[in-house]
């Protein structure tokens, strides 16, 4: 969260210089972020379509409100933190003392994460 707010602040501080940059890869993301709402930021966080830092700087440069940006960032990165925490714990057990149950749980965690990513991608298309 600290990295997100620092990047946002950098974009806010240098918004005129950032707006002058013509980076075609970020045009679509800029269009989505210009709508400026919680759900637009959340969609970009859930679907990793741009580097985390670049999204933060763009959000600041586009003058998005800080509270919706920070809230959407927190909600958007929470599933990744939980998944990596659970998967890391399971991977440690799998490597130290593998059992059929541990293998099945690891496969299940990966499958659930893949299904959630696929559903998010199919649900939120970028215009």
């Amino acid at each position: 969260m600290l990295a997100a707010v620092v990047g946002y602040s950098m974009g806010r501080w240098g918004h005129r210089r950032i707006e002058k940059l013509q980076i075609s890869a970020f045009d679509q993301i800029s269009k989505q972020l210009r709508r400026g709402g919680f759900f637009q930021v959340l969609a970009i966080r859930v679907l990793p379509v741009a580097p985390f830092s670049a999204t933060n700087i763009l959000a600041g440069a586009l003058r998005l409100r800080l509270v919706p940006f920070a809230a959407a960032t927190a909600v958007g990165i929470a599933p990744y933190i939980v998944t990596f925490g659970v998967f890391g714990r399971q991977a440690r057990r799998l490597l130290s003392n593998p059992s059929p149950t541990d293998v099945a749980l690891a496969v299940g965690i990966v499958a659930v994460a893949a299904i959630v990513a696929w559903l998010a991608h199919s649900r939120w298309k970028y215009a």
Side-chain angles (χ1 to χ4, degrees), residues 13-32:
W13 178 71
H15 71 92
R16 287 195 171 97
R17 284 178 250 156
I18 293 167
E19 287 175 347
K20 289 180 185 177
L21 296 175
Q22 296 297 323
I23 303 172
S24 62
F26 293 128
D27 285 343
Q28 204 170 27
I29 296 162
S30 293
K31 286 178 190 175
Q32 189 72 14

Side-chain angles (χ1 to χ4, degrees), residues 42-65:
L42 180 62
I44 289 174
R45 291 297 186 211
V46 171
L47 301 171
V49 295
F52 186 76
S53 299
T55 303
N56 300 335
I57 293 169
L58 275 174
L62 295 172
R63 302 287 191 175
L64 298 183
R65 292 180 305 162

